[in-house]
Amino acid sequence: MTQSPGSVDPLTLAAGAAEAVRRRLRIPSAEVALVLGSGWSEAVAELEVIGRVPLAALPGFHTPAVAGHGGELLAVRITGDRCALVFTGRTHHYEGRGVAAVVHGVRTAAACGVRTVVLTNGSGSLRREWGPGTPVLIRDHINLTGVTPLVGPRFVDMSEAYAGRLRDLARTVDPSLPEGVYVQFPGPQYETPAEVRMAGVLGGDLVGMSTVLETIAARERGLEVLGLSLATNLAAGISQAPLDHREVIAAGQAAAPRLRSLITELLAVL
């Protein structure tokens, strides 16, 4: 059984997990990490995997609980001897394991030497023109979870949480990518139409249940963050259709060719 992130200092646990990652995957370090969210599982199908380990076999990690999320950590070759870590699933705040568990992957990646992290998710779109299957760059976020992974006087600058430099790089790969503001709700219930309207009034374009806490932890560790959200459905009240997680998985499958091309080309330039 792996240790819980709440039982020891989170950074100490991340350092131990990083050592296990290097040993199990037989890599000295990694430069980039990619976290796959809902709808993104097919995006890495064409990458060259050079090592894999079950997440639950690493200190502090658990098997992801959400359908459509994988349970492995992959090492993939980018170019030459450069490699990236791919977390095929994540822990969500609504699973009740605590905030430290939610951001443990990002902290472990930082301890492995990663300087750039790509955080992906599935989201509800407030913009009708961003229908199911539309990938969107995250420009900024709004944290409505009421929690943070930071403890004590950790005054981390969030004025550019999602690096403009990385968004510019992403547009060299796909100039059609729009960008918007992502709003994280606690979940696991979907947002009500009134909550979606509130998110829009606050300046949000997308709503979901992940990513924001990981971004805060990544910025604390000095990582540059690229956020990519796949609009898997129109948010409640934008569309009158009831919401279902099966829609999320189906949207990812339909968008798979575009997502594979996007991720493959992105990893080559990051």
mmCIF file of all heavy atoms in Angstrom, residues 190-239:
data_model
loop_
_atom_site.group_PDB
_atom_site.id
_atom_site.type_symbol
_atom_site.label_atom_id
_atom_site.label_comp_id
_atom_site.label_asym_id
_atom_site.label_seq_id
_atom_site.Cartn_x
_atom_site.Cartn_y
_atom_site.Cartn_z
ATOM 1 N N TYR A 190 -22.735 18.107 -11.761
ATOM 2 C CA TYR A 190 -22.565 19.124 -12.788
ATOM 3 C C TYR A 190 -23.148 20.453 -12.306
ATOM 4 O O TYR A 190 -24.001 20.498 -11.405
ATOM 5 C CB TYR A 190 -23.251 18.692 -14.091
ATOM 6 C CG TYR A 190 -22.528 17.584 -14.811
ATOM 7 C CD1 TYR A 190 -23.092 16.317 -14.918
ATOM 8 C CD2 TYR A 190 -21.285 17.798 -15.399
ATOM 9 C CE1 TYR A 190 -22.427 15.287 -15.588
ATOM 10 C CE2 TYR A 190 -20.619 16.782 -16.064
ATOM 11 C CZ TYR A 190 -21.194 15.533 -16.149
ATOM 12 O OH TYR A 190 -20.529 14.517 -16.800
ATOM 13 N N GLU A 191 -22.713 21.515 -12.945
ATOM 14 C CA GLU A 191 -23.160 22.851 -12.565
ATOM 15 C C GLU A 191 -24.631 23.054 -12.943
ATOM 16 O O GLU A 191 -25.114 22.499 -13.941
ATOM 17 C CB GLU A 191 -22.303 23.913 -13.287
ATOM 18 C CG GLU A 191 -20.812 23.784 -13.046
ATOM 19 C CD GLU A 191 -20.147 22.668 -13.848
ATOM 20 O OE1 GLU A 191 -20.752 22.235 -14.873
ATOM 21 O OE2 GLU A 191 -19.068 22.211 -13.461
ATOM 22 N N THR A 192 -25.329 23.841 -12.164
ATOM 23 C CA THR A 192 -26.703 24.194 -12.506
ATOM 24 C C THR A 192 -26.684 25.316 -13.546
ATOM 25 O O THR A 192 -25.677 26.013 -13.709
ATOM 26 C CB THR A 192 -27.481 24.683 -11.276
ATOM 27 O OG1 THR A 192 -26.935 25.947 -10.859
ATOM 28 C CG2 THR A 192 -27.393 23.685 -10.121
ATOM 29 N N PRO A 193 -27.794 25.534 -14.259
ATOM 30 C CA PRO A 193 -27.838 26.664 -15.191
ATOM 31 C C PRO A 193 -27.529 27.999 -14.519
ATOM 32 O O PRO A 193 -26.857 28.854 -15.107
ATOM 33 C CB PRO A 193 -29.276 26.619 -15.722
ATOM 34 C CG PRO A 193 -29.636 25.168 -15.663
ATOM 35 C CD PRO A 193 -28.987 24.666 -14.394
ATOM 36 N N ALA A 194 -27.992 28.181 -13.275
ATOM 37 C CA ALA A 194 -27.703 29.432 -12.566
ATOM 38 C C ALA A 194 -26.211 29.571 -12.276
ATOM 39 O O ALA A 194 -25.635 30.659 -12.386
ATOM 40 C CB ALA A 194 -28.510 29.497 -11.264
ATOM 41 N N GLU A 195 -25.557 28.455 -11.904
ATOM 42 C CA GLU A 195 -24.109 28.497 -11.647
ATOM 43 C C GLU A 195 -23.340 28.779 -12.934
ATOM 44 O O GLU A 195 -22.324 29.502 -12.917
ATOM 45 C CB GLU A 195 -23.661 27.182 -11.017
ATOM 46 C CG GLU A 195 -24.133 27.024 -9.585
ATOM 47 C CD GLU A 195 -23.931 25.617 -9.037
ATOM 48 O OE1 GLU A 195 -23.843 24.657 -9.839
ATOM 49 O OE2 GLU A 195 -23.876 25.475 -7.797
ATOM 50 N N VAL A 196 -23.813 28.233 -14.042
ATOM 51 C CA VAL A 196 -23.172 28.511 -15.327
ATOM 52 C C VAL A 196 -23.324 29.984 -15.681
ATOM 53 O O VAL A 196 -22.366 30.624 -16.151
ATOM 54 C CB VAL A 196 -23.767 27.603 -16.424
ATOM 55 C CG1 VAL A 196 -23.308 28.058 -17.812
ATOM 56 C CG2 VAL A 196 -23.366 26.156 -16.181
ATOM 57 N N ARG A 197 -24.511 30.551 -15.450
ATOM 58 C CA ARG A 197 -24.694 31.983 -15.712
ATOM 59 C C ARG A 197 -23.764 32.801 -14.838
ATOM 60 O O ARG A 197 -23.181 33.800 -15.284
ATOM 61 C CB ARG A 197 -26.154 32.380 -15.480
ATOM 62 C CG ARG A 197 -27.120 31.847 -16.525
ATOM 63 C CD ARG A 197 -28.463 32.580 -16.460
ATOM 64 N NE ARG A 197 -29.127 32.413 -15.175
ATOM 65 C CZ ARG A 197 -29.936 31.398 -14.867
ATOM 66 N NH1 ARG A 197 -30.149 30.436 -15.751
ATOM 67 N NH2 ARG A 197 -30.520 31.342 -13.695
ATOM 68 N N MET A 198 -23.609 32.412 -13.577
ATOM 69 C CA MET A 198 -22.689 33.110 -12.672
ATOM 70 C C MET A 198 -21.258 33.059 -13.208
ATOM 71 O O MET A 198 -20.547 34.074 -13.212
ATOM 72 C CB MET A 198 -22.739 32.485 -11.277
ATOM 73 C CG MET A 198 -21.737 33.091 -10.298
ATOM 74 S SD MET A 198 -21.642 32.201 -8.725
ATOM 75 C CE MET A 198 -20.819 30.687 -9.250
ATOM 76 N N ALA A 199 -20.852 31.867 -13.679
ATOM 77 C CA ALA A 199 -19.505 31.729 -14.226
ATOM 78 C C ALA A 199 -19.298 32.677 -15.398
ATOM 79 O O ALA A 199 -18.234 33.283 -15.552
ATOM 80 C CB ALA A 199 -19.257 30.284 -14.651
ATOM 81 N N GLY A 200 -20.339 32.817 -16.228
ATOM 82 C CA GLY A 200 -20.237 33.734 -17.356
ATOM 83 C C GLY A 200 -20.131 35.178 -16.922
ATOM 84 O O GLY A 200 -19.348 35.951 -17.482
ATOM 85 N N VAL A 201 -20.897 35.561 -15.904
ATOM 86 C CA VAL A 201 -20.834 36.926 -15.379
ATOM 87 C C VAL A 201 -19.436 37.222 -14.823
ATOM 88 O O VAL A 201 -18.901 38.325 -14.969
ATOM 89 C CB VAL A 201 -21.910 37.137 -14.291
ATOM 90 C CG1 VAL A 201 -21.697 38.455 -13.564
ATOM 91 C CG2 VAL A 201 -23.307 37.095 -14.903
ATOM 92 N N LEU A 202 -18.814 36.209 -14.214
ATOM 93 C CA LEU A 202 -17.479 36.379 -13.646
ATOM 94 C C LEU A 202 -16.384 36.438 -14.716
ATOM 95 O O LEU A 202 -15.238 36.765 -14.407
ATOM 96 C CB LEU A 202 -17.175 35.226 -12.684
ATOM 97 C CG LEU A 202 -17.998 35.174 -11.402
ATOM 98 C CD1 LEU A 202 -17.671 33.907 -10.606
ATOM 99 C CD2 LEU A 202 -17.759 36.407 -10.551
ATOM 100 N N GLY A 203 -16.735 36.078 -15.948
ATOM 101 C CA GLY A 203 -15.755 36.109 -17.027
ATOM 102 C C GLY A 203 -15.335 34.758 -17.535
ATOM 103 O O GLY A 203 -14.386 34.653 -18.325
ATOM 104 N N GLY A 204 -16.031 33.689 -17.104
ATOM 105 C CA GLY A 204 -15.661 32.353 -17.520
ATOM 106 C C GLY A 204 -16.204 31.980 -18.886
ATOM 107 O O GLY A 204 -17.248 32.475 -19.316
ATOM 108 N N ASP A 205 -15.462 31.116 -19.564
ATOM 109 C CA ASP A 205 -15.867 30.586 -20.864
ATOM 110 C C ASP A 205 -16.101 29.076 -20.824
ATOM 111 O O ASP A 205 -16.781 28.527 -21.685
ATOM 112 C CB ASP A 205 -14.780 30.859 -21.912
ATOM 113 C CG ASP A 205 -14.473 32.332 -22.067
ATOM 114 O OD1 ASP A 205 -15.364 33.072 -22.517
ATOM 115 O OD2 ASP A 205 -13.350 32.749 -21.714
ATOM 116 N N LEU A 206 -15.482 28.412 -19.832
ATOM 117 C CA LEU A 206 -15.530 26.961 -19.706
ATOM 118 C C LEU A 206 -15.706 26.610 -18.245
ATOM 119 O O LEU A 206 -15.180 27.312 -17.363
ATOM 120 C CB LEU A 206 -14.225 26.329 -20.209
ATOM 121 C CG LEU A 206 -13.791 26.648 -21.642
ATOM 122 C CD1 LEU A 206 -12.295 26.415 -21.791
ATOM 123 C CD2 LEU A 206 -14.571 25.789 -22.637
ATOM 124 N N VAL A 207 -16.413 25.525 -17.950
ATOM 125 C CA VAL A 207 -16.572 25.078 -16.567
ATOM 126 C C VAL A 207 -16.166 23.617 -16.459
ATOM 127 O O VAL A 207 -16.368 22.818 -17.381
ATOM 128 C CB VAL A 207 -18.026 25.263 -16.062
ATOM 129 C CG1 VAL A 207 -18.380 26.740 -15.954
ATOM 130 C CG2 VAL A 207 -19.029 24.541 -16.965
ATOM 131 N N GLY A 208 -15.552 23.265 -15.320
ATOM 132 C CA GLY A 208 -15.125 21.892 -15.102
ATOM 133 C C GLY A 208 -14.751 21.660 -13.657
ATOM 134 O O GLY A 208 -15.025 22.496 -12.788
ATOM 135 N N MET A 209 -14.080 20.523 -13.388
ATOM 136 C CA MET A 209 -13.853 20.080 -12.014
ATOM 137 C C MET A 209 -12.400 19.708 -11.736
ATOM 138 O O MET A 209 -12.132 18.924 -10.819
ATOM 139 C CB MET A 209 -14.750 18.877 -11.698
ATOM 140 C CG MET A 209 -16.221 19.090 -11.970
ATOM 141 S SD MET A 209 -17.179 17.570 -11.736
ATOM 142 C CE MET A 209 -18.716 18.018 -12.563
ATOM 143 N N SER A 210 -11.466 20.249 -12.517
ATOM 144 C CA SER A 210 -10.059 19.886 -12.313
ATOM 145 C C SER A 210 -9.150 21.047 -12.704
ATOM 146 O O SER A 210 -9.616 22.159 -12.950
ATOM 147 C CB SER A 210 -9.699 18.639 -13.133
ATOM 148 O OG SER A 210 -9.698 18.939 -14.516
ATOM 149 N N THR A 211 -7.844 20.777 -12.725
ATOM 150 C CA THR A 211 -6.808 21.612 -13.354
ATOM 151 C C THR A 211 -6.351 22.795 -12.512
ATOM 152 O O THR A 211 -5.133 23.038 -12.389
ATOM 153 C CB THR A 211 -7.264 22.108 -14.748
ATOM 154 O OG1 THR A 211 -7.581 20.973 -15.560
ATOM 155 C CG2 THR A 211 -6.197 22.956 -15.422
ATOM 156 N N VAL A 212 -7.270 23.566 -11.943
ATOM 157 C CA VAL A 212 -6.900 24.809 -11.271
ATOM 158 C C VAL A 212 -5.959 24.566 -10.094
ATOM 159 O O VAL A 212 -4.941 25.255 -9.943
ATOM 160 C CB VAL A 212 -8.174 25.569 -10.828
ATOM 161 C CG1 VAL A 212 -7.823 26.699 -9.865
ATOM 162 C CG2 VAL A 212 -8.912 26.113 -12.043
ATOM 163 N N LEU A 213 -6.276 23.598 -9.246
ATOM 164 C CA LEU A 213 -5.425 23.337 -8.077
ATOM 165 C C LEU A 213 -4.056 22.837 -8.517
ATOM 166 O O LEU A 213 -3.028 23.204 -7.909
ATOM 167 C CB LEU A 213 -6.102 22.323 -7.158
ATOM 168 C CG LEU A 213 -7.485 22.739 -6.634
ATOM 169 C CD1 LEU A 213 -8.076 21.637 -5.758
ATOM 170 C CD2 LEU A 213 -7.405 24.048 -5.860
ATOM 171 N N GLU A 214 -4.014 22.035 -9.578
ATOM 172 C CA GLU A 214 -2.731 21.572 -10.109
ATOM 173 C C GLU A 214 -1.909 22.735 -10.650
ATOM 174 O O GLU A 214 -0.683 22.780 -10.496
ATOM 175 C CB GLU A 214 -2.976 20.542 -11.210
ATOM 176 C CG GLU A 214 -3.552 19.228 -10.715
ATOM 177 C CD GLU A 214 -4.237 18.459 -11.829
ATOM 178 O OE1 GLU A 214 -5.268 18.950 -12.331
ATOM 179 O OE2 GLU A 214 -3.744 17.386 -12.182
ATOM 180 N N THR A 215 -2.578 23.684 -11.291
ATOM 181 C CA THR A 215 -1.871 24.856 -11.817
ATOM 182 C C THR A 215 -1.245 25.660 -10.691
ATOM 183 O O THR A 215 -0.088 26.108 -10.795
ATOM 184 C CB THR A 215 -2.838 25.732 -12.629
ATOM 185 O OG1 THR A 215 -3.283 24.997 -13.775
ATOM 186 C CG2 THR A 215 -2.171 27.015 -13.091
ATOM 187 N N ILE A 216 -1.972 25.850 -9.607
ATOM 188 C CA ILE A 216 -1.431 26.606 -8.471
ATOM 189 C C ILE A 216 -0.191 25.913 -7.921
ATOM 190 O O ILE A 216 0.843 26.551 -7.664
ATOM 191 C CB ILE A 216 -2.507 26.761 -7.372
ATOM 192 C CG1 ILE A 216 -3.683 27.599 -7.888
ATOM 193 C CG2 ILE A 216 -1.908 27.404 -6.119
ATOM 194 C CD1 ILE A 216 -4.891 27.585 -6.971
ATOM 195 N N ALA A 217 -0.273 24.590 -7.762
ATOM 196 C CA ALA A 217 0.870 23.840 -7.243
ATOM 197 C C ALA A 217 2.051 23.892 -8.212
ATOM 198 O O ALA A 217 3.209 23.972 -7.802
ATOM 199 C CB ALA A 217 0.468 22.387 -6.982
ATOM 200 N N ALA A 218 1.755 23.833 -9.509
ATOM 201 C CA ALA A 218 2.825 23.896 -10.512
ATOM 202 C C ALA A 218 3.535 25.235 -10.466
ATOM 203 O O ALA A 218 4.774 25.308 -10.537
ATOM 204 C CB ALA A 218 2.239 23.647 -11.904
ATOM 205 N N ARG A 219 2.779 26.302 -10.344
ATOM 206 C CA ARG A 219 3.392 27.633 -10.289
ATOM 207 C C ARG A 219 4.223 27.795 -9.012
ATOM 208 O O ARG A 219 5.272 28.448 -9.021
ATOM 209 C CB ARG A 219 2.315 28.714 -10.378
ATOM 210 C CG ARG A 219 1.558 28.752 -11.689
ATOM 211 C CD ARG A 219 2.488 28.974 -12.887
ATOM 212 N NE ARG A 219 3.209 30.232 -12.759
ATOM 213 C CZ ARG A 219 4.501 30.395 -13.009
ATOM 214 N NH1 ARG A 219 5.254 29.355 -13.376
ATOM 215 N NH2 ARG A 219 5.057 31.588 -12.895
ATOM 216 N N GLU A 220 3.753 27.201 -7.913
ATOM 217 C CA GLU A 220 4.542 27.255 -6.680
ATOM 218 C C GLU A 220 5.914 26.618 -6.888
ATOM 219 O O GLU A 220 6.920 27.097 -6.356
ATOM 220 C CB GLU A 220 3.812 26.530 -5.550
ATOM 221 C CG GLU A 220 4.588 26.545 -4.232
ATOM 222 C CD GLU A 220 4.074 25.544 -3.220
ATOM 223 O OE1 GLU A 220 3.434 24.547 -3.616
ATOM 224 O OE2 GLU A 220 4.347 25.750 -2.016
ATOM 225 N N ARG A 221 5.987 25.552 -7.667
ATOM 226 C CA ARG A 221 7.244 24.845 -7.909
ATOM 227 C C ARG A 221 8.031 25.438 -9.075
ATOM 228 O O ARG A 221 9.073 24.906 -9.459
ATOM 229 C CB ARG A 221 6.990 23.347 -8.186
ATOM 230 C CG ARG A 221 6.198 22.616 -7.120
ATOM 231 C CD ARG A 221 6.735 22.819 -5.734
ATOM 232 N NE ARG A 221 8.106 22.372 -5.569
ATOM 233 C CZ ARG A 221 8.906 22.787 -4.596
ATOM 234 N NH1 ARG A 221 8.488 23.686 -3.719
ATOM 235 N NH2 ARG A 221 10.129 22.324 -4.519
ATOM 236 N N GLY A 222 7.538 26.534 -9.655
ATOM 237 C CA GLY A 222 8.270 27.201 -10.722
ATOM 238 C C GLY A 222 8.062 26.631 -12.105
ATOM 239 O O GLY A 222 8.813 26.946 -13.032
ATOM 240 N N LEU A 223 7.050 25.779 -12.294
ATOM 241 C CA LEU A 223 6.785 25.184 -13.598
ATOM 242 C C LEU A 223 5.986 26.142 -14.473
ATOM 243 O O LEU A 223 5.141 26.893 -13.979
ATOM 244 C CB LEU A 223 6.006 23.876 -13.462
ATOM 245 C CG LEU A 223 6.791 22.585 -13.199
ATOM 246 C CD1 LEU A 223 7.593 22.687 -11.902
ATOM 247 C CD2 LEU A 223 5.846 21.394 -13.147
ATOM 248 N N GLU A 224 6.266 26.105 -15.788
ATOM 249 C CA GLU A 224 5.407 26.785 -16.751
ATOM 250 C C GLU A 224 4.239 25.858 -17.061
ATOM 251 O O GLU A 224 4.420 24.644 -17.207
ATOM 252 C CB GLU A 224 6.159 27.101 -18.035
ATOM 253 C CG GLU A 224 7.072 28.306 -17.955
ATOM 254 C CD GLU A 224 7.534 28.738 -19.346
ATOM 255 O OE1 GLU A 224 8.188 27.932 -20.018
ATOM 256 O OE2 GLU A 224 7.231 29.880 -19.740
ATOM 257 N N VAL A 225 3.048 26.443 -17.204
ATOM 258 C CA VAL A 225 1.835 25.644 -17.409
ATOM 259 C C VAL A 225 1.190 25.998 -18.743
ATOM 260 O O VAL A 225 0.995 27.178 -19.068
ATOM 261 C CB VAL A 225 0.818 25.887 -16.276
ATOM 262 C CG1 VAL A 225 -0.456 25.076 -16.513
ATOM 263 C CG2 VAL A 225 1.420 25.550 -14.919
ATOM 264 N N LEU A 226 0.859 24.951 -19.493
ATOM 265 C CA LEU A 226 0.003 25.088 -20.666
ATOM 266 C C LEU A 226 -1.283 24.345 -20.353
ATOM 267 O O LEU A 226 -1.257 23.145 -20.050
ATOM 268 C CB LEU A 226 0.671 24.487 -21.903
ATOM 269 C CG LEU A 226 -0.176 24.500 -23.189
ATOM 270 C CD1 LEU A 226 -0.431 25.930 -23.649
ATOM 271 C CD2 LEU A 226 0.500 23.708 -24.299
ATOM 272 N N GLY A 227 -2.402 25.044 -20.413
ATOM 273 C CA GLY A 227 -3.697 24.422 -20.150
ATOM 274 C C GLY A 227 -4.465 24.216 -21.440
ATOM 275 O O GLY A 227 -4.581 25.139 -22.259
ATOM 276 N N LEU A 228 -4.982 23.002 -21.619
ATOM 277 C CA LEU A 228 -5.784 22.673 -22.794
ATOM 278 C C LEU A 228 -7.091 22.035 -22.339
ATOM 279 O O LEU A 228 -7.088 21.022 -21.638
ATOM 280 C CB LEU A 228 -5.040 21.684 -23.695
ATOM 281 C CG LEU A 228 -3.925 22.246 -24.573
ATOM 282 C CD1 LEU A 228 -3.095 21.114 -25.149
ATOM 283 C CD2 LEU A 228 -4.513 23.090 -25.692
ATOM 284 N N SER A 229 -8.192 22.647 -22.734
ATOM 285 C CA SER A 229 -9.505 22.140 -22.338
ATOM 286 C C SER A 229 -10.250 21.676 -23.580
ATOM 287 O O SER A 229 -10.296 22.387 -24.592
ATOM 288 C CB SER A 229 -10.302 23.237 -21.632
ATOM 289 O OG SER A 229 -11.484 22.719 -21.065
ATOM 290 N N LEU A 230 -10.808 20.474 -23.518
ATOM 291 C CA LEU A 230 -11.637 19.967 -24.612
ATOM 292 C C LEU A 230 -13.096 20.225 -24.253
ATOM 293 O O LEU A 230 -13.613 19.669 -23.273
ATOM 294 C CB LEU A 230 -11.404 18.466 -24.814
ATOM 295 C CG LEU A 230 -12.261 17.815 -25.899
ATOM 296 C CD1 LEU A 230 -11.872 18.314 -27.282
ATOM 297 C CD2 LEU A 230 -12.148 16.292 -25.826
ATOM 298 N N ALA A 231 -13.746 21.082 -25.023
ATOM 299 C CA ALA A 231 -15.180 21.299 -24.807
ATOM 300 C C ALA A 231 -15.911 20.016 -25.202
ATOM 301 O O ALA A 231 -15.913 19.627 -26.369
ATOM 302 C CB ALA A 231 -15.665 22.477 -25.638
ATOM 303 N N THR A 232 -16.457 19.343 -24.223
ATOM 304 C CA THR A 232 -17.107 18.050 -24.481
ATOM 305 C C THR A 232 -18.627 18.168 -24.573
ATOM 306 O O THR A 232 -19.298 17.235 -25.028
ATOM 307 C CB THR A 232 -16.756 17.034 -23.381
ATOM 308 O OG1 THR A 232 -17.118 17.579 -22.107
ATOM 309 C CG2 THR A 232 -15.259 16.732 -23.387
ATOM 310 N N ASN A 233 -19.161 19.300 -24.152
ATOM 311 C CA ASN A 233 -20.601 19.536 -24.212
ATOM 312 C C ASN A 233 -20.839 21.017 -23.972
ATOM 313 O O ASN A 233 -19.958 21.733 -23.471
ATOM 314 C CB ASN A 233 -21.338 18.707 -23.144
ATOM 315 C CG ASN A 233 -20.777 18.930 -21.748
ATOM 316 O OD1 ASN A 233 -19.878 18.193 -21.318
ATOM 317 N ND2 ASN A 233 -21.268 19.949 -21.047
ATOM 318 N N LEU A 234 -22.010 21.487 -24.329
ATOM 319 C CA LEU A 234 -22.423 22.829 -23.937
ATOM 320 C C LEU A 234 -22.896 22.766 -22.487
ATOM 321 O O LEU A 234 -23.576 21.826 -22.086
ATOM 322 C CB LEU A 234 -23.533 23.348 -24.847
ATOM 323 C CG LEU A 234 -23.141 23.582 -26.314
ATOM 324 C CD1 LEU A 234 -24.368 24.002 -27.123
ATOM 325 C CD2 LEU A 234 -22.036 24.614 -26.441
ATOM 326 N N ALA A 235 -22.501 23.762 -21.691
ATOM 327 C CA ALA A 235 -22.815 23.755 -20.266
ATOM 328 C C ALA A 235 -24.317 23.853 -20.032
ATOM 329 O O ALA A 235 -25.084 24.263 -20.913
ATOM 330 C CB ALA A 235 -22.089 24.916 -19.579
ATOM 331 N N ALA A 236 -24.726 23.473 -18.809
ATOM 332 C CA ALA A 236 -26.147 23.481 -18.445
ATOM 333 C C ALA A 236 -26.753 24.867 -18.661
ATOM 334 O O ALA A 236 -26.188 25.875 -18.250
ATOM 335 C CB ALA A 236 -26.310 23.066 -16.984
ATOM 336 N N GLY A 237 -27.883 24.898 -19.317
ATOM 337 C CA GLY A 237 -28.549 26.165 -19.599
ATOM 338 C C GLY A 237 -28.170 26.737 -20.949
ATOM 339 O O GLY A 237 -28.945 27.478 -21.547
ATOM 340 N N ILE A 238 -26.955 26.428 -21.440
ATOM 341 C CA ILE A 238 -26.576 26.819 -22.798
ATOM 342 C C ILE A 238 -27.262 25.868 -23.768
ATOM 343 O O ILE A 238 -27.775 26.254 -24.804
ATOM 344 C CB ILE A 238 -25.042 26.776 -22.978
ATOM 345 C CG1 ILE A 238 -24.330 27.575 -21.877
ATOM 346 C CG2 ILE A 238 -24.656 27.275 -24.359
ATOM 347 C CD1 ILE A 238 -24.663 29.047 -21.848
ATOM 348 N N SER A 239 -27.246 24.597 -23.393
ATOM 349 C CA SER A 239 -28.020 23.583 -24.103
ATOM 350 C C SER A 239 -29.069 23.038 -23.133
ATOM 351 O O SER A 239 -28.829 22.964 -21.929
ATOM 352 C CB SER A 239 -27.103 22.451 -24.568
ATOM 353 O OG SER A 239 -27.860 21.336 -24.997
#
